Structure formats: C-alpha cells, structure tokens
Amino acid sequence: MSQEIAVIGSPDFTTGFRLAGVRKFANVPDDEKDAELDDAVSRTLNDDDVGIIVMHDDDLTHLSRNVRNDVETSVEPTLVTLGGGAGSGGLRDKIKRAIGIDLMEEDEQGDNE
C-alpha cells in the first residue's frame, strides 16, 4: 500500500506543497496554532494513509509536550521539519531509526578518501 505525504502548518506554508500535488494537509493559521495544532498533528499521526508528515521547524514549539513526544518518536509516519537551518529535523537519525541503516555513512567515508 502506497503512503502519502501530509503537510501541517500555516496556509502560506502548505500552499506550495498543495500546488506540487500533496493532497493531505492541515491548515492552521498562525494565530490559532496554540489551540489547534495539537489536534491537527494527532489526527495526521493516526491517519494510516500518511507515511511522512512535513511541518515548519518553528511550529514544534506550539505543540504540547505529549504530542511533540509522539511526533519525535514516531517511525511511521515520520516527521520531517523544514526551515530551521542546516540539520533541521534530524532527518538522518529518523531514516536510520526507520530502516536501521545510516545512509549517509558511505558518503562520509567517500569524502575522506
């Protein structure tokens, strides 16, 4: 079964993904994030059709401790955050945890040669 990408965040953040063909999204306006973001993330985490959740890195600060822990420890779906600078979201660690292999390890060895 094929899984989809879901995007959660402000309408400005989700629009580009929607234009690129992402069908699952939750628009949460900036002024409603403290009240609405937990529910949107929880609903998406429980959606069996979603394999990857994309959020802006800054939005993690609006999540409650429990929901933030849920997304940070979730293997499927995997949370990918954008916009927080280099290394944002710990994508390397999440891939390693999900599949059990460090895909970047070979590249690092190749750089030393």
Side-chain angles (χ1 to χ4, degrees):
M1 179 166 113
S2 176
Q3 292 188 310
E4 296 189 48
I5 296 172
V7 181
I8 303 171
S10 68
D12 290 340
F13 182 74
T14 63
T15 298
F17 291 95
R18 292 173 47 209
L19 291 171
V22 173
R23 296 180 296 189
K24 293 196 175 266
F25 63 94
N27 284 330
V28 182
D30 289 333
D31 59 343
E32 297 176 15
K33 285 187 179 173
D34 288 331
E36 303 289 329
L37 197 59
D38 275 358
D39 290 337
V41 170
S42 294
R43 280 193 310 272
T44 307
L45 279 172
N46 292 320
D47 187 338
D48 292 335
D49 294 333
V50 174
I52 298 173
I53 299 172
V54 179
M55 291 179 63
H56 194 282
D57 191 57
D58 294 342
D59 288 346
L60 293 180
T61 61
H62 295 279
L63 295 176
S64 68
R65 180 180 298 168
N66 290 338
V67 174
R68 184 176 178 145
N69 185 56
D70 289 345
V71 295
E72 288 177 345
T73 59
S74 177
V75 173
E76 192 176 300
T78 297
L79 174 70
V80 175
T81 58
L82 302 176
S88 174
L91 183 58
R92 178 181 181 178
D93 291 333
K94 290 176 185 182
I95 292 171
K96 185 177 177 182
R97 186 173 64 226
I99 64 174
I101 299 170
D102 188 352
L103 296 176
M104 304 297 274
E105 187 174 66
E106 185 176 319
D107 289 343
E108 288 177 357
Q109 290 174 354
D111 290 342
N112 293 332
E113 293 179 11

